[in-house]
Amino acid sequence: MKTAILGTWHVHTEEYTRAILANPQAEAAVIWDSDIPRGKAFAEKLGIPFTDDLDGILNDASIDSVVVCSATCDHPELLTKAANAGKNIFTEKVLTIGVEDAEKVAAAVKAAGKVFTISYPHRTFPTLRAAKALLDSGKLGTVTYARVRNVHNGSSADWLPPHFYDKAQCGGGAMIDLGAHPMYTLYWLLGEPKTITSTFTEVTHRGVEDNAVSVIEFANGAIGVSETGFVSECNPYTLEISGTDGAMMIHGESAQWGGKATGGKWVDLELPEKMQLPVDQWVDAVTNGTPSPFTIDEAVMLTRLMDGAYKSFESGTKFTF
């Protein structure tokens, strides 16, 4: 598959581009960016041609696929144009800032009938896949509660790029960026959201939240808590799931569970084999026809959750989906 990289704005652009370069089934043919100096510097670093002609890429029938790593505010235009041009699409989360834009992009993607994948890497982790399998097995009984905490020190240690604090480009701060992982994990585990309530604060005072929590009521009666932030040190990833017959916890790389089936004792959770990351699964889906992971409908759901989280915070009230 011959691939164009559209935008070099995101911090994961190099990771995805190198994955394409390393995959024998794919070719990183060209780089485009609306910021020409930034795009040229990135292209030179990785030894890939640069062009400022977006329409030229989209009209080039030999380029069948695109990786979209632009500013989130540019996603609606780029994703819609790429879909209308018949390209396979891999995109960084979130799909769009607003729900209306997400639905328009989804309509274009579905009409194109090409392979679409959004990057939900946490769902490939052995620990989280084991947690989902345990939940689905029924051994936890009726699941009543799940909490996901995913944080880093990007603001407090000052290593995030300045544009990650630009609300117009990003749609917000920590929640819409790093908080995407807890959000897509929670709806994967618990299903359709019903309401959401948010509390956000600014610890480093950069104009967007860097410390954030959203509490979600799900249609099945479960409660989910999405925690994120850019101001935490040495705080490992945490997932807790509680049910009427048992509970489980992931703390960093450690995964354990206990309940009626274990006689009330906590035991190690058996982990599956490591899975390919989403970008490599996307290449496999395009070239070999394997199922595409993390579909357009799931992408729209993440935007719905984020939209509700921010509307709740801005209004100071519970948001109902």
Side-chain angles (χ1 to χ4, degrees), residues 70-150:
S70 68
T72 309
C73 64
D74 295 331
H75 277 198
E77 180 182 6
L78 287 177
L79 292 168
T80 300
K81 283 186 173 181
N84 290 342
K87 308 301 185 187
N88 303 296
I89 296 171
F90 179 87
T91 185
E92 180 55 277
K93 46 70 181 163
V94 296
L95 184 68
T96 61
I97 295 170
V99 174
E100 184 177 349
D101 281 334
E103 291 173 344
K104 289 178 180 178
V105 169
V109 166
K110 290 177 180 180
K114 298 295 182 177
V115 177
F116 172 92
T117 300
I118 192 167
S119 186
Y120 288 175
H122 286 199
R123 282 180 48 179
T124 72
F125 293 175
T127 47
L128 269 70
R129 289 163 51 219
K132 174 68 164 139
L134 179 65
L135 185 155
D136 290 344
S137 74
K139 292 178 181 177
L140 300 182
T142 299
V143 174
T144 56
Y145 178 85
R147 168 180 170 261
V148 187
R149 180 166 180 80
N150 186 50

Side-chain angles (χ1 to χ4, degrees), residues 155-208:
S155 292
S156 51
D158 200 24
W159 55 260
L160 278 173
H163 58 253
F164 266 51
Y165 306 107
D166 186 328
K167 187 175 181 179
Q169 293 187 61
C170 304
M175 182 55 80
I176 202 166
D177 176 55
L178 193 63
H181 301 294
M183 286 292 197
Y184 67 66
T185 298
L186 285 168
Y187 76 70
W188 179 48
L189 296 174
L190 302 179
E192 186 72 22
K194 185 176 178 182
T195 68
I196 190 166
T197 307
S198 299
T199 298
F200 300 163
T201 64
E202 293 183 38
V203 176
T204 59
H205 304 291
R206 299 171 191 255
V208 292

Side-chain angles (χ1 to χ4, degrees), residues 219-230:
N220 60 8
I223 295 172
V225 181
S226 172
E227 303 179 14
T228 195
F230 297 155

Side-chain angles (χ1 to χ4, degrees), residues 28 45 47 65 76 90 103 231 283 288:
K45 178 181 179 180
S65 305
F90 179 87
E103 291 173 344
V231 289
V283 172
N288 297 319

